[in-house]
Amino acid sequence: MPEETVGTTPPRAMTIAGTDSGGGAGIAADLRTFAACGVHGCLAVCAVTVQNSVGVQGVHTIPPETVAAQISSVASDIGLDAAKTGMLAGAEIIEAVAEAFDSNGIGAGRRTPLVVDPVAASMHGDQLLADSALDAFRGLLFPRATMITPNLDEVRLLIGIDVHDRAAQYEAAKVLHGLGPEFVLVKGGHLAEDVDVCIDLLYDGHSFTELPGPRFVTGNTHGGGDSMAASIASGLARGMTAPEAVAFGKRYIVEAVRHSYPLGQGHGPVSPLWTVRPWWETPPTV
Ligand code: PXL
């Protein structure tokens, strides 16, 4: 007798981002994060990077209309409970993505909440976004975002504030909120004054919430920002409020960094699948 299947449809989320051939960052990190958070992951590829643990050797962008078509195809059939953007590569793709968001009900105040992670460079400093695209990020995506999640390097590029202390982290959150997102999360991972802690700062235009977490001694944080934004998007897809989703994401990323591992000669990745039980260690029963 054939058996019945038992699956039920999970929440659905989409990453609009780039690939990393080393499997650590970008879409590879996002899809594993969605899976680890119990969310069905869909993807719109914006760029293919030729990359290993040492650096990025090449970037090939996808035609903007093909990026937009991936979004519309999925939204019109499968449906989306959250979306997140990562490496968008250039201004033309950002323009096409913003249009596709409008025609598919994606963004702040619409059916599908949107997390914008303003990816500009890899941790090696390799450029992942054309200089000319910063204006498009600020003007087209931030006003549509439920939440933006810049790190301190991205803060400097986007608004010219060099965050060296907590006061500047607060100031940067205020300035970024002025660009239109509902929530700003200024990640404190690179803040030198915090020796033992890593404090991310959430701002909703009225009040600030500090999210403290441990700081780990590791160079293996490749893909950490992507996984954090994808876990926040997963929380939103699961129906959480934005502050709840950020707390969920912080809890998730702390463990992903704790379980990070060496890979190749350079920077290893965080471990988005730290949640997976090693079922392969159980001997088969047949
Ligand atoms: O972690 C930022 C990031 C996002 N997307 C892609 C990347 C990287 C960093 O290297 O390669 C494709």
Side-chain angles (χ1 to χ4, degrees):
M1 272 282 280
E3 295 185 37
E4 298 287 334
T5 59
V6 296
T8 53
T9 308
R12 302 140 299 170
M14 173 175 253
T15 171
I16 299 111
T19 67
D20 164 7
S21 47
I27 287 172
D30 293 341
L31 292 182
R32 279 180 289 168
T33 301
F34 290 153
C37 295
V39 167
H40 176 86
C42 304
L43 55 145
V45 186
C46 301
V48 172
T49 74
V50 179
Q51 185 172 173
N52 55 24
S53 74
V54 188
V56 178
Q57 293 93 40
V59 174
H60 301 273
T61 56
I62 303 297
E65 61 275 17
T66 306
V67 177
Q70 293 172 81
I71 298 169
S72 297
S73 172
V74 169
S76 63
D77 167 42
I78 293 171
L80 290 171
D81 301 302
K84 75 143 288 218
T85 63
M87 178 189 175
L88 298 176
E92 299 76 17
I93 292 179
I94 294 177
E95 284 159 21
V97 163
E99 252 180 59
F101 285 166
D102 287 352
S103 37
N104 290 286
I106 298 168
R110 298 159 181 257
R111 195 192 103 53
T112 304
L114 170 66
V115 178
V116 172
D117 187 21
V119 171
S122 77
M123 64 189 294
H124 303 98
D126 297 309
Q127 203 160 341
L128 299 174
L129 184 76
D131 288 335
S132 58
L134 287 173
D135 272 344
F137 247 120
R138 287 181 294 245
L140 294 175
L141 280 191
F142 287 5
R144 289 173 165 85
T146 308
M147 187 179 304
I148 63 171
T149 61
N151 63 30
L152 299 184
D153 292 331
E154 291 154 358
V155 167
R156 188 169 6 87
L157 276 173
L158 287 160
I159 54 171
I161 297 183
D162 221 342
V163 175
H164 286 301
D165 57 19
R166 186 87 53 240
Q169 194 180 11
Y170 274 68
E171 179 59 23
K174 279 190 195 165
V175 173
L176 286 163
H177 192 269
L179 296 174
E182 257 182 67
F183 290 84
V184 176
L185 183 71
V186 178
K187 293 177 292 187
H190 303 179
L191 197 55
E193 75 169 24
D194 295 330
V195 180
D196 300 323
V197 286
C198 167
I199 299 180
D200 301 330
L201 183 66
L202 181 67
Y203 182 55
D204 64 3
H206 302 286
S207 53
F208 292 94
T209 308
E210 289 188 5
L211 292 109
R215 180 176 292 278
F216 295 99
V217 186
T218 178
N220 300 326
T221 56
H222 185 50
D226 314 60
S227 280
M228 175 133 197
S231 60
I232 294 169
S234 298
L236 294 173
R238 303 192 70 83
M240 295 175 196
T241 64
E244 287 167 350
V246 168
F248 175 86
K250 182 76 178 177
R251 190 177 137 216
Y252 174 80
I253 197 65
V254 164
E255 295 309 317
V257 178
R258 190 193 306 280
H259 291 84
S260 61
Y261 49 90
L263 192 72
Q265 312 303 306
H267 292 290
V270 302
S271 181
L273 291 180
W274 62 270
T275 58
V276 170
R277 199 162 35 98
W279 56 267
W280 51 88
E281 288 174 4
T282 310
T285 50
V286 281

